[in-house]
Amino acid sequence: MIELRNVSFSAYDEETSQNNYILKEINLNIYKREFVVILGKNGSGKSTLVKHFNGVLIPTSGDVVADGINTKDEDKFCEIRQKIGMVFQNPDNQIVSSVVEEDVAFGLENLGIPRREMVSLVDNALKCVGMYDFKKSSPNMLSGGQKQRIAIAGVLAMNPECIVFDEPTSMLDPEGRKEVVDTIQNLKKGNGTTIVLITHNIEEIFCADRVIIMDSGRIVSEVTPYEILLDKNYMRMLGLKATQSIDLFYKLAGRGINLPFLTADEDKCADMIVEFLEEKKCR
Amino acid sequence: MAADIVLGQYLPGDSLLHRMDPRAKILLSFWLMVIVFTAWSYISLTIISVFTFIMILASSIPIKSYIRNTGFIFAMTLFSSFLNLFYGVGEPIFEWGFITITASGIQNSIVVAARIFDMMMISACLMFTTSANDMTHGLEKIMSPLKFIGVDVDDVIMMITISLRFIPITLEETNKIINAQKSRGADMNKGGPIDRIKSFTPIILPLFASTFRRAYELSMAMECRCYGLKGSRTHLKNFKLGIADLFAMVLVGLIMIGVIFCNNMDIAKII
Ligand SMILES: Nc1ncnc2c1ncn2[C@@H]1O[C@H](COP(=O)(O)OP(=O)(O)OP(=O)(O)O)[C@@H](O)[C@H]1O
Ligand SMILES: [Mg+2]
Protein backbone atom coordinates (compact mmCIF):
# COMPACT_ATOMS: atom_id res chain seq x y z
CA MET A 1 0.00 0.00 0.00
CA ILE A 2 2.61 2.55 1.07
CA GLU A 3 6.27 1.95 0.48
CA LEU A 4 9.10 4.16 1.73
CA ARG A 5 12.52 3.55 0.23
CA ASN A 6 15.50 5.17 1.87
CA VAL A 7 13.52 8.28 2.76
CA SER A 8 15.42 11.17 4.28
CA PHE A 9 14.01 14.59 4.97
CA SER A 10 15.92 17.68 5.97
CA ALA A 11 14.75 21.13 6.88
CA TYR A 12 16.63 24.33 7.48
CA ASP A 13 17.08 24.94 11.16
CA GLU A 14 17.28 28.62 12.06
CA GLU A 15 18.98 28.13 15.41
CA THR A 16 21.96 26.20 14.10
CA SER A 17 21.58 27.75 10.61
CA GLN A 18 22.19 24.48 8.83
CA ASN A 19 20.14 21.74 7.28
CA ASN A 20 18.89 19.33 9.90
CA TYR A 21 17.89 15.81 9.10
CA ILE A 22 14.49 15.14 10.62
CA LEU A 23 14.10 11.75 8.94
CA LYS A 24 17.08 9.55 8.26
CA GLU A 25 17.05 6.75 5.70
CA ILE A 26 13.71 5.26 6.52
CA ASN A 27 12.59 2.04 4.90
CA LEU A 28 9.05 1.03 5.65
CA ASN A 29 6.17 -0.86 4.13
CA ILE A 30 2.57 -0.44 5.15
CA TYR A 31 0.41 -3.26 3.84
CA LYS A 32 -3.25 -3.23 2.85
CA ARG A 33 -5.76 -3.64 5.67
CA GLU A 34 -3.07 -3.35 8.26
CA PHE A 35 -3.36 -1.43 11.53
CA VAL A 36 -0.02 0.18 12.30
CA VAL A 37 0.72 2.25 15.38
CA ILE A 38 3.67 4.64 15.45
CA LEU A 39 5.16 5.44 18.82
CA GLY A 40 7.98 7.75 19.71
CA LYS A 41 9.01 10.62 21.92
CA ASN A 42 8.05 14.21 21.13
CA GLY A 43 10.06 15.51 18.23
CA SER A 44 11.13 12.07 17.04
CA GLY A 45 9.72 12.80 13.59
CA LYS A 46 6.43 10.87 13.64
CA SER A 47 4.32 13.64 12.16
CA THR A 48 7.00 14.43 9.61
CA LEU A 49 7.03 10.77 8.59
CA VAL A 50 3.29 10.42 8.04
CA LYS A 51 3.12 13.69 6.11
CA HIS A 52 5.25 11.92 3.52
CA PHE A 53 2.59 9.29 2.99
CA ASN A 54 0.25 11.50 0.99
CA GLY A 55 2.68 13.94 -0.47
CA VAL A 56 2.19 16.84 1.94
CA LEU A 57 5.94 16.62 2.36
CA ILE A 58 8.25 15.37 -0.36
CA PRO A 59 11.38 13.49 0.72
CA THR A 60 14.72 15.25 0.31
CA SER A 61 16.10 11.95 -0.92
CA GLY A 62 14.52 8.55 -1.45
CA ASP A 63 11.05 7.70 -2.69
CA VAL A 64 7.59 7.27 -1.27
CA VAL A 65 5.29 5.11 -3.36
CA ALA A 66 1.65 5.10 -2.34
CA ASP A 67 -0.52 2.56 -4.11
CA GLY A 68 1.83 2.55 -7.08
CA ILE A 69 2.09 6.33 -7.31
CA ASN A 70 5.30 8.13 -6.47
CA THR A 71 4.49 11.15 -4.29
CA LYS A 72 6.89 13.24 -6.36
CA ASP A 73 4.41 13.06 -9.23
CA GLU A 74 2.63 16.40 -8.90
CA ASP A 75 -0.12 15.50 -11.36
CA LYS A 76 -1.28 12.72 -9.08
CA PHE A 77 -1.46 14.71 -5.83
CA CYS A 78 -5.21 14.64 -5.84
CA GLU A 79 -5.38 10.91 -6.39
CA ILE A 80 -2.89 10.19 -3.61
CA ARG A 81 -4.72 12.37 -1.14
CA GLN A 82 -8.03 10.83 -2.00
CA LYS A 83 -6.54 7.38 -1.34
CA ILE A 84 -4.73 8.33 1.86
CA GLY A 85 -6.73 10.55 4.20
CA MET A 86 -5.40 12.31 7.27
CA VAL A 87 -6.94 13.24 10.58
CA PHE A 88 -5.05 15.61 12.83
CA GLN A 89 -4.82 16.41 16.49
CA ASN A 90 -7.00 19.48 16.82
CA PRO A 91 -10.54 18.85 15.55
CA ASP A 92 -11.29 22.58 15.37
CA ASN A 93 -8.50 23.23 12.92
CA GLN A 94 -9.67 20.73 10.33
CA ILE A 95 -13.35 21.58 10.13
CA VAL A 96 -14.00 24.11 7.41
CA SER A 97 -17.70 24.84 7.37
CA SER A 98 -20.14 25.84 10.08
CA VAL A 99 -22.61 23.16 9.03
CA VAL A 100 -21.65 19.56 9.73
CA GLU A 101 -22.86 18.02 6.47
CA GLU A 102 -21.21 20.73 4.40
CA ASP A 103 -17.92 20.07 6.10
CA VAL A 104 -18.16 16.36 5.43
CA ALA A 105 -18.86 17.19 1.78
CA PHE A 106 -15.84 19.48 1.52
CA GLY A 107 -13.47 16.84 0.18
CA LEU A 108 -16.06 15.57 -2.26
CA GLU A 109 -16.70 19.09 -3.52
CA ASN A 110 -12.98 19.45 -4.13
CA LEU A 111 -12.93 16.19 -6.07
CA GLY A 112 -15.76 17.45 -8.25
CA ILE A 113 -18.16 14.64 -7.34
CA PRO A 114 -21.66 15.34 -8.73
CA ARG A 115 -24.20 16.53 -6.19
CA ARG A 116 -26.49 13.52 -6.41
CA GLU A 117 -23.76 11.07 -5.44
CA MET A 118 -22.44 13.47 -2.82
CA VAL A 119 -25.61 13.39 -0.75
CA SER A 120 -25.53 9.64 -0.18
CA LEU A 121 -21.77 9.56 0.38
CA VAL A 122 -22.06 12.24 3.06
CA ASP A 123 -24.97 10.45 4.74
CA ASN A 124 -23.12 7.14 4.76
CA ALA A 125 -19.95 8.67 6.18
CA LEU A 126 -21.93 10.37 8.94
CA LYS A 127 -23.75 7.14 9.77
CA CYS A 128 -20.45 5.31 9.87
CA VAL A 129 -19.12 7.57 12.65
CA GLY A 130 -22.50 7.72 14.37
CA MET A 131 -23.06 11.43 13.78
CA TYR A 132 -25.93 11.30 11.31
CA ASP A 133 -28.33 13.01 13.72
CA PHE A 134 -26.07 16.06 13.84
CA LYS A 135 -26.02 16.52 10.09
CA LYS A 136 -27.46 20.03 10.18
CA SER A 137 -25.80 21.22 13.41
CA SER A 138 -22.96 23.65 13.80
CA PRO A 139 -19.63 22.09 14.82
CA ASN A 140 -19.36 24.78 17.49
CA MET A 141 -22.17 23.08 19.37
CA LEU A 142 -20.42 19.69 19.49
CA SER A 143 -18.01 18.12 21.97
CA GLY A 144 -14.37 17.47 21.08
CA GLY A 145 -15.00 13.79 20.46
CA GLN A 146 -17.96 14.55 18.23
CA LYS A 147 -15.97 17.14 16.28
CA GLN A 148 -13.16 14.67 15.78
CA ARG A 149 -15.67 12.13 14.48
CA ILE A 150 -16.93 14.75 12.01
CA ALA A 151 -13.36 15.23 10.86
CA ILE A 152 -13.09 11.45 10.41
CA ALA A 153 -16.36 11.42 8.45
CA GLY A 154 -14.99 14.15 6.19
CA VAL A 155 -12.02 11.96 5.31
CA LEU A 156 -14.13 8.80 5.15
CA ALA A 157 -16.57 10.31 2.65
CA MET A 158 -13.75 10.48 0.11
CA ASN A 159 -13.56 6.68 0.31
CA PRO A 160 -9.86 6.41 1.16
CA GLU A 161 -7.97 3.12 1.26
CA CYS A 162 -5.88 4.27 4.15
CA ILE A 163 -6.44 6.80 6.93
CA VAL A 164 -3.57 8.27 8.92
CA PHE A 165 -4.39 9.56 12.38
CA ASP A 166 -1.90 11.96 13.97
CA GLU A 167 -2.60 11.91 17.71
CA PRO A 168 -6.36 12.13 17.15
CA THR A 169 -7.24 11.81 20.83
CA SER A 170 -4.60 13.88 22.56
CA MET A 171 -6.86 16.92 22.90
CA LEU A 172 -9.95 15.02 24.02
CA ASP A 173 -11.41 14.10 27.37
CA PRO A 174 -11.64 10.38 28.28
CA GLU A 175 -15.16 10.09 26.92
CA GLY A 176 -14.30 11.70 23.60
CA ARG A 177 -11.20 9.55 23.43
CA LYS A 178 -13.26 6.40 23.79
CA GLU A 179 -15.70 7.55 21.08
CA VAL A 180 -12.88 8.20 18.65
CA VAL A 181 -10.98 4.99 19.44
CA ASP A 182 -14.16 2.97 18.95
CA THR A 183 -14.77 4.72 15.64
CA ILE A 184 -11.25 3.92 14.47
CA GLN A 185 -11.65 0.26 15.41
CA ASN A 186 -14.98 0.07 13.58
CA LEU A 187 -13.33 1.46 10.47
CA LYS A 188 -10.81 -1.31 10.53
CA LYS A 189 -13.43 -4.00 11.15
CA GLY A 190 -16.23 -2.67 8.99
CA ASN A 191 -14.55 -1.06 6.02
CA GLY A 192 -11.23 -2.85 6.05
CA THR A 193 -9.46 0.50 5.86
CA THR A 194 -5.71 0.50 6.35
CA ILE A 195 -4.97 2.51 9.46
CA VAL A 196 -1.86 4.28 10.65
CA LEU A 197 -2.16 5.75 14.13
CA ILE A 198 0.28 7.99 15.95
CA THR A 199 -0.36 8.06 19.65
CA HIS A 200 1.11 8.63 23.07
CA ASN A 201 -1.60 6.65 24.74
CA ILE A 202 -0.91 3.04 25.62
CA GLU A 203 -4.56 2.04 25.59
CA GLU A 204 -4.72 2.70 21.89
CA ILE A 205 -2.01 0.29 20.82
CA PHE A 206 -3.86 -2.93 21.64
CA CYS A 207 -5.68 -3.29 18.37
CA ALA A 208 -2.53 -2.75 16.30
CA ASP A 209 -1.07 -5.46 14.12
CA ARG A 210 2.32 -3.87 14.32
CA VAL A 211 3.95 -1.13 16.35
CA ILE A 212 6.71 1.00 14.90
CA ILE A 213 8.96 2.81 17.32
CA MET A 214 10.75 5.94 16.21
CA ASP A 215 13.57 7.82 17.79
CA SER A 216 15.35 10.92 16.46
CA GLY A 217 14.28 10.42 12.88
CA ARG A 218 14.88 6.69 12.63
CA ILE A 219 12.76 3.61 13.01
CA VAL A 220 14.39 1.85 15.92
CA SER A 221 12.19 -1.21 16.11
CA GLU A 222 9.09 -2.94 14.90
CA VAL A 223 7.24 -5.01 17.46
CA THR A 224 3.81 -6.31 18.39
CA PRO A 225 1.76 -4.47 21.00
CA TYR A 226 2.35 -7.25 23.52
CA GLU A 227 6.09 -7.06 23.23
CA ILE A 228 5.89 -3.45 24.32
CA LEU A 229 3.74 -4.25 27.27
CA LEU A 230 5.87 -7.19 28.30
CA ASP A 231 9.08 -5.23 28.15
CA LYS A 232 9.22 -2.46 30.71
CA ASN A 233 12.23 -0.96 28.93
CA TYR A 234 10.12 0.02 25.96
CA MET A 235 7.63 1.68 28.20
CA ARG A 236 10.31 3.64 29.93
CA MET A 237 12.01 4.60 26.68
CA LEU A 238 8.77 5.92 25.21
CA GLY A 239 7.67 7.56 28.41
CA LEU A 240 4.46 5.58 28.30
CA LYS A 241 2.52 5.09 31.47
CA ALA A 242 1.07 1.70 32.27
CA THR A 243 -2.62 1.85 33.06
CA GLN A 244 -3.97 0.36 36.25
CA SER A 245 -5.32 -2.67 34.44
CA ILE A 246 -1.93 -3.43 32.94
CA ASP A 247 -0.25 -3.09 36.32
CA LEU A 248 -2.89 -5.35 37.77
CA PHE A 249 -2.27 -7.92 35.06
CA TYR A 250 1.39 -8.12 35.92
CA LYS A 251 0.79 -8.26 39.64
CA LEU A 252 -1.70 -11.10 39.23
CA ALA A 253 0.69 -12.89 36.90
CA GLY A 254 3.37 -12.54 39.56
CA ARG A 255 1.13 -14.52 41.92
CA GLY A 256 0.47 -17.23 39.39
CA ILE A 257 -2.90 -16.00 38.19
CA ASN A 258 -2.85 -15.66 34.42
CA LEU A 259 -5.74 -13.78 32.85
CA PRO A 260 -6.60 -14.85 29.29
CA PHE A 261 -5.43 -11.62 27.66
CA LEU A 262 -4.02 -8.24 28.38
CA THR A 263 -6.33 -5.27 28.12
CA ALA A 264 -6.37 -1.62 28.96
CA ASP A 265 -10.12 -1.58 29.32
CA GLU A 266 -10.98 -1.67 33.00
CA ASP A 267 -14.46 -3.08 32.42
CA LYS A 268 -13.12 -5.99 30.40
CA CYS A 269 -10.47 -6.53 33.03
CA ALA A 270 -13.10 -6.73 35.75
CA ASP A 271 -15.11 -9.18 33.66
CA MET A 272 -12.11 -11.43 33.27
CA ILE A 273 -11.39 -11.43 36.98
CA VAL A 274 -14.99 -12.27 37.80
CA GLU A 275 -14.91 -15.08 35.26
CA PHE A 276 -11.70 -16.38 36.72
CA LEU A 277 -13.10 -16.37 40.24
CA GLU A 278 -16.28 -18.14 39.19
CA GLU A 279 -14.32 -20.80 37.38
CA LYS A 280 -12.27 -21.36 40.49
CA LYS A 281 -15.40 -21.69 42.62
CA CYS A 282 -16.83 -24.33 40.29
CA ARG A 283 -13.72 -26.35 40.66
CA MET B 1 -18.57 29.13 24.76
CA ALA B 2 -18.30 29.62 21.03
CA ALA B 3 -21.82 28.28 20.72
CA ASP B 4 -23.19 31.39 22.39
CA ILE B 5 -21.91 33.69 19.71
CA VAL B 6 -24.22 33.94 16.74
CA LEU B 7 -23.01 35.84 13.76
CA GLY B 8 -25.33 38.12 11.84
CA GLN B 9 -28.85 38.87 12.90
CA TYR B 10 -30.53 35.66 11.83
CA LEU B 11 -33.62 34.82 13.85
CA PRO B 12 -34.54 31.17 13.22
CA GLY B 13 -38.09 30.47 12.17
CA ASP B 14 -40.23 28.68 9.66
CA SER B 15 -42.12 31.47 7.96
CA LEU B 16 -42.73 31.87 4.26
CA LEU B 17 -39.76 34.22 4.05
CA HIS B 18 -37.50 31.84 5.96
CA ARG B 19 -38.29 29.13 3.48
CA MET B 20 -37.64 31.24 0.40
CA ASP B 21 -34.66 30.57 -1.80
CA PRO B 22 -31.85 32.86 -0.55
CA ARG B 23 -30.90 33.75 -4.12
CA ALA B 24 -34.39 35.00 -4.84
CA LYS B 25 -34.54 36.73 -1.49
CA ILE B 26 -31.29 38.62 -1.95
CA LEU B 27 -32.06 39.67 -5.51
CA LEU B 28 -35.65 40.66 -4.79
CA SER B 29 -34.64 42.65 -1.70
CA PHE B 30 -32.11 44.47 -3.79
CA TRP B 31 -34.66 45.09 -6.51
CA LEU B 32 -37.21 46.33 -4.00
CA MET B 33 -34.72 48.87 -2.72
CA VAL B 34 -34.22 50.14 -6.24
CA ILE B 35 -37.99 50.47 -6.56
CA VAL B 36 -38.13 52.34 -3.26
CA PHE B 37 -35.63 54.79 -4.63
CA THR B 38 -37.65 55.47 -7.75
CA ALA B 39 -40.90 56.07 -5.83
CA TRP B 40 -41.58 59.70 -5.11
CA SER B 41 -45.32 60.33 -5.34
CA TYR B 42 -47.47 59.76 -2.25
CA ILE B 43 -49.44 56.94 -3.84
CA SER B 44 -46.29 55.09 -4.95
CA LEU B 45 -44.80 55.45 -1.51
CA THR B 46 -47.96 54.15 0.07
CA ILE B 47 -47.96 51.11 -2.19
CA ILE B 48 -44.39 50.19 -1.37
CA SER B 49 -44.75 50.92 2.33
CA VAL B 50 -47.82 48.72 2.56
CA PHE B 51 -45.89 45.98 0.78
CA THR B 52 -43.00 46.37 3.22
CA PHE B 53 -45.41 46.07 6.09
CA ILE B 54 -46.85 42.87 4.60
CA MET B 55 -43.30 41.52 4.32
CA ILE B 56 -42.71 42.23 7.98
CA LEU B 57 -45.88 40.36 8.85
CA ALA B 58 -44.93 37.47 6.57
CA SER B 59 -41.59 37.06 8.31
CA SER B 60 -43.47 36.27 11.55
CA ILE B 61 -40.79 38.05 13.51
CA PRO B 62 -42.12 40.36 16.21
CA ILE B 63 -42.20 44.00 15.15
CA LYS B 64 -40.34 44.73 18.38
CA SER B 65 -37.17 43.16 16.91
CA TYR B 66 -37.42 45.42 13.89
CA ILE B 67 -37.82 48.50 16.01
CA ARG B 68 -34.97 47.52 18.30
CA ASN B 69 -32.64 46.97 15.36
CA THR B 70 -33.51 50.04 13.37
CA GLY B 71 -34.69 52.51 16.00
CA PHE B 72 -31.56 54.60 16.23
CA ILE B 73 -31.03 55.00 12.51
CA PHE B 74 -34.70 55.74 12.12
CA ALA B 75 -34.52 58.54 14.68
CA MET B 76 -31.63 60.02 12.71
CA THR B 77 -33.66 59.76 9.54
CA LEU B 78 -36.61 61.57 11.06
CA PHE B 79 -34.30 64.36 12.14
CA SER B 80 -32.77 64.78 8.69
CA SER B 81 -36.15 64.67 7.00
CA PHE B 82 -37.31 67.30 9.46
CA LEU B 83 -34.52 69.53 8.21
CA ASN B 84 -35.59 68.78 4.66
CA LEU B 85 -38.88 70.41 5.49
CA PHE B 86 -37.30 73.88 5.32
CA TYR B 87 -35.47 73.49 2.06
CA GLY B 88 -38.33 73.36 -0.41
CA VAL B 89 -38.78 75.62 -3.41
CA GLY B 90 -41.92 77.23 -4.76
CA GLU B 91 -44.92 78.92 -3.16
CA PRO B 92 -44.59 79.09 0.65
CA ILE B 93 -47.51 77.58 2.55
CA PHE B 94 -46.32 78.80 5.87
CA GLU B 95 -44.01 81.66 6.80
CA TRP B 96 -42.68 82.72 10.16
CA GLY B 97 -39.61 84.90 10.36
CA PHE B 98 -36.88 83.21 8.36
CA ILE B 99 -38.72 79.86 8.34
CA THR B 100 -40.60 79.08 5.17
CA ILE B 101 -42.35 75.82 4.44
CA THR B 102 -43.42 74.93 0.92
CA ALA B 103 -45.43 72.04 -0.52
CA SER B 104 -42.32 70.62 -2.17
CA GLY B 105 -40.48 70.84 1.17
CA ILE B 106 -43.19 68.81 2.83
CA GLN B 107 -43.14 66.24 0.07
CA ASN B 108 -39.34 66.03 0.18
CA SER B 109 -39.23 65.35 3.87
CA ILE B 110 -41.95 62.73 3.73
CA VAL B 111 -40.39 61.03 0.72
CA VAL B 112 -36.95 60.87 2.32
CA ALA B 113 -38.28 59.52 5.59
CA ALA B 114 -40.48 56.92 3.92
CA ARG B 115 -37.75 55.75 1.56
CA ILE B 116 -35.15 55.24 4.24
CA PHE B 117 -37.66 53.60 6.53
CA ASP B 118 -38.73 51.15 3.83
CA MET B 119 -35.17 50.32 2.86
CA MET B 120 -34.22 49.64 6.45
CA MET B 121 -37.18 47.38 6.94
CA ILE B 122 -36.48 45.47 3.73
CA SER B 123 -32.85 44.85 4.61
CA ALA B 124 -33.73 43.93 8.20
CA CYS B 125 -36.28 41.48 6.84
CA LEU B 126 -33.60 39.87 4.67
CA MET B 127 -31.09 39.69 7.52
CA PHE B 128 -33.56 38.29 10.03
CA THR B 129 -34.82 35.51 7.80
CA THR B 130 -31.57 34.35 6.14
CA SER B 131 -28.83 32.51 8.01
CA ALA B 132 -25.22 33.55 7.42
CA ASN B 133 -24.62 30.28 5.67
CA ASP B 134 -27.57 30.62 3.31
CA MET B 135 -26.52 34.18 2.63
CA THR B 136 -23.04 33.00 1.65
CA HIS B 137 -24.35 30.27 -0.61
CA GLY B 138 -26.92 32.58 -2.11
CA LEU B 139 -24.27 35.18 -2.87
CA GLU B 140 -22.06 32.47 -4.29
CA LYS B 141 -24.71 31.47 -6.79
CA ILE B 142 -25.56 35.07 -7.64
CA MET B 143 -21.95 36.06 -8.15
CA SER B 144 -20.99 32.93 -10.08
CA PRO B 145 -21.30 34.67 -13.50
CA LEU B 146 -18.38 36.87 -12.40
CA LYS B 147 -16.17 33.84 -13.03
CA PHE B 148 -16.30 34.72 -16.70
CA ILE B 149 -14.61 38.05 -16.13
CA GLY B 150 -11.88 36.43 -14.08
CA VAL B 151 -13.08 36.99 -10.50
CA ASP B 152 -12.47 33.88 -8.42
CA VAL B 153 -15.84 33.63 -6.72
CA ASP B 154 -15.07 30.23 -5.19
CA ASP B 155 -12.07 31.57 -3.30
CA VAL B 156 -13.98 34.59 -2.00
CA ILE B 157 -16.82 32.38 -0.81
CA MET B 158 -14.39 29.93 0.81
CA MET B 159 -12.89 32.88 2.70
CA ILE B 160 -16.30 33.95 3.93
CA THR B 161 -17.19 30.38 4.93
CA ILE B 162 -13.99 29.96 6.92
CA SER B 163 -14.41 33.35 8.57
CA LEU B 164 -17.92 32.42 9.63
CA ARG B 165 -16.57 29.32 11.28
CA PHE B 166 -13.48 30.84 12.90
CA ILE B 167 -14.66 34.22 14.11
CA PRO B 168 -16.57 32.71 17.07
CA ILE B 169 -13.64 30.40 17.84
CA THR B 170 -11.20 33.31 17.81
CA LEU B 171 -13.45 35.40 20.03
CA GLU B 172 -13.65 32.56 22.49
CA GLU B 173 -9.91 32.19 22.42
CA THR B 174 -9.44 35.91 23.04
CA ASN B 175 -11.52 35.57 26.17
CA LYS B 176 -9.44 32.64 27.34
CA ILE B 177 -6.22 34.58 26.84
CA ILE B 178 -7.60 37.61 28.66
CA ASN B 179 -8.58 35.41 31.58
CA ALA B 180 -5.21 33.68 31.55
CA GLN B 181 -3.37 37.01 31.62
CA LYS B 182 -5.67 38.37 34.31
CA SER B 183 -5.02 35.33 36.45
CA ARG B 184 -1.33 36.18 36.22
CA GLY B 185 -2.04 39.61 37.55
CA ALA B 186 -2.43 41.63 34.35
CA ASP B 187 -4.62 44.67 34.85
CA MET B 188 -6.40 45.86 31.74
CA ASN B 189 -8.24 48.78 33.23
CA LYS B 190 -5.51 50.83 34.79
CA GLY B 191 -3.64 53.92 33.72
CA GLY B 192 -4.11 56.29 30.83
CA PRO B 193 -5.01 55.39 27.28
CA ILE B 194 -1.44 54.53 26.34
CA ASP B 195 -1.06 52.20 29.30
CA ARG B 196 -4.27 50.52 28.33
CA ILE B 197 -3.18 49.98 24.78
CA LYS B 198 0.11 48.62 26.06
CA SER B 199 -1.71 46.24 28.35
CA PHE B 200 -3.26 44.62 25.30
CA THR B 201 0.12 43.47 23.95
CA PRO B 202 0.13 40.32 26.10
CA ILE B 203 -3.26 39.48 24.60
CA ILE B 204 -2.65 40.32 20.97
CA LEU B 205 0.68 38.49 20.70
CA PRO B 206 -0.49 35.05 21.87
CA LEU B 207 -3.63 35.52 19.83
CA PHE B 208 -1.61 36.18 16.70
CA ALA B 209 0.62 33.22 17.38
CA SER B 210 -2.27 30.88 17.86
CA THR B 211 -4.20 32.23 14.87
CA PHE B 212 -1.23 31.66 12.61
CA ARG B 213 -0.82 28.14 13.92
CA ARG B 214 -4.52 27.54 13.28
CA ALA B 215 -4.25 28.89 9.77
CA TYR B 216 -1.28 26.66 9.09
CA GLU B 217 -3.00 23.55 10.39
CA LEU B 218 -6.24 24.34 8.61
CA SER B 219 -4.54 24.92 5.30
CA MET B 220 -2.75 21.62 5.67
CA ALA B 221 -5.97 19.80 6.50
CA MET B 222 -7.64 21.43 3.48
CA GLU B 223 -4.76 20.44 1.26
CA CYS B 224 -5.05 16.87 2.51
CA ARG B 225 -8.65 16.93 1.38
CA CYS B 226 -7.61 17.95 -2.13
CA TYR B 227 -8.60 21.62 -1.91
CA GLY B 228 -7.47 23.54 -4.95
CA LEU B 229 -6.03 20.50 -6.67
CA LYS B 230 -8.78 19.91 -9.20
CA GLY B 231 -10.12 22.46 -11.62
CA SER B 232 -13.75 22.94 -10.73
CA ARG B 233 -15.48 22.23 -7.45
CA THR B 234 -19.01 20.96 -7.13
CA HIS B 235 -21.36 21.97 -4.35
CA LEU B 236 -23.46 20.02 -1.87
CA LYS B 237 -25.75 22.91 -1.24
CA ASN B 238 -28.35 23.29 -3.92
CA PHE B 239 -31.27 25.67 -4.08
CA LYS B 240 -34.51 25.16 -5.89
CA LEU B 241 -36.87 27.94 -6.75
CA GLY B 242 -40.24 27.13 -5.21
CA ILE B 243 -43.76 28.41 -5.66
CA ALA B 244 -43.20 30.96 -2.89
CA ASP B 245 -40.27 32.41 -4.83
CA LEU B 246 -42.23 32.68 -8.06
CA PHE B 247 -45.10 34.27 -6.19
CA ALA B 248 -42.72 36.78 -4.60
CA MET B 249 -41.23 37.62 -7.98
CA VAL B 250 -44.63 38.25 -9.51
CA LEU B 251 -45.60 40.37 -6.53
CA VAL B 252 -42.46 42.49 -6.71
CA GLY B 253 -43.03 42.84 -10.44
CA LEU B 254 -46.55 44.11 -9.85
CA ILE B 255 -45.28 46.50 -7.19
CA MET B 256 -42.76 47.87 -9.63
CA ILE B 257 -45.39 48.48 -12.30
CA GLY B 258 -47.69 50.05 -9.71
CA VAL B 259 -44.96 52.36 -8.42
CA ILE B 260 -43.91 53.52 -11.88
CA PHE B 261 -47.50 54.02 -12.93
CA CYS B 262 -48.50 55.97 -9.84
CA ASN B 263 -45.38 58.08 -9.73
CA ASN B 264 -47.01 60.63 -12.02
CA MET B 265 -50.28 60.73 -10.16
CA ASP B 266 -50.75 63.50 -7.74
CA ILE B 267 -52.99 62.74 -4.81
CA ALA B 268 -54.41 66.24 -4.93
CA LYS B 269 -55.55 65.81 -8.53
CA ILE B 270 -57.36 62.55 -7.78
CA ILE B 271 -59.23 64.05 -4.87
N1 LIG C 1 9.30 22.48 8.76
C1 LIG C 1 10.22 22.24 9.72
N2 LIG C 1 11.34 22.97 9.78
C2 LIG C 1 12.26 22.76 10.74
N3 LIG C 1 12.13 21.82 11.68
C3 LIG C 1 11.05 21.05 11.68
C4 LIG C 1 10.02 21.23 10.70
N4 LIG C 1 9.04 20.34 10.95
C5 LIG C 1 9.45 19.65 12.02
N5 LIG C 1 10.65 20.06 12.47
C6 LIG C 1 11.40 19.49 13.59
O1 LIG C 1 11.47 18.12 13.36
C7 LIG C 1 11.37 17.37 14.56
C8 LIG C 1 10.30 16.32 14.44
O2 LIG C 1 9.03 16.91 14.38
P1 LIG C 1 7.70 16.09 14.36
O3 LIG C 1 6.59 17.06 14.40
O4 LIG C 1 7.71 15.16 13.21
O5 LIG C 1 7.76 15.27 15.70
P2 LIG C 1 6.66 14.35 16.34
O6 LIG C 1 7.29 13.02 16.54
O7 LIG C 1 5.42 14.39 15.55
O8 LIG C 1 6.43 15.01 17.74
P3 LIG C 1 5.10 15.18 18.58
O9 LIG C 1 4.96 13.93 19.36
O10 LIG C 1 5.36 16.35 19.45
O11 LIG C 1 3.98 15.40 17.63
C9 LIG C 1 11.10 18.39 15.64
O12 LIG C 1 12.28 18.59 16.37
C10 LIG C 1 10.72 19.65 14.89
O13 LIG C 1 11.18 20.78 15.60
MG1 LIG D 1 3.36 15.19 15.87
Side-chain angles (χ1 to χ4, degrees), chain A residues 43 46-48 89 166-167 198 200:
Chain A
K46 304 179 298 291
S47 302
T48 312
Q89 187 173 22
D166 191 348
E167 303 184 29
I198 299 179
H200 284 295

Side-chain angles (χ1 to χ4, degrees), chain B residues 75-86:
Chain B
M76 300 276 290
T77 317
L78 278 185
F79 180 70
S80 75
S81 76
F82 178 71
L83 290 182
N84 254 324
L85 205 56
F86 308 109

Side-chain angles (χ1 to χ4, degrees), chain A residues 93 95 99 110 113 115, chain B residues 133 137 165 214 233-234 236:
Chain A
N93 295 354
I95 294 176
V99 180
N110 294 336
I113 308 282
R115 205 192 93 81
Chain B
N133 234 314
H137 288 302
R165 164 141 171 72
R214 248 182 226 292
R233 302 182 76 226
T234 46
L236 176 71

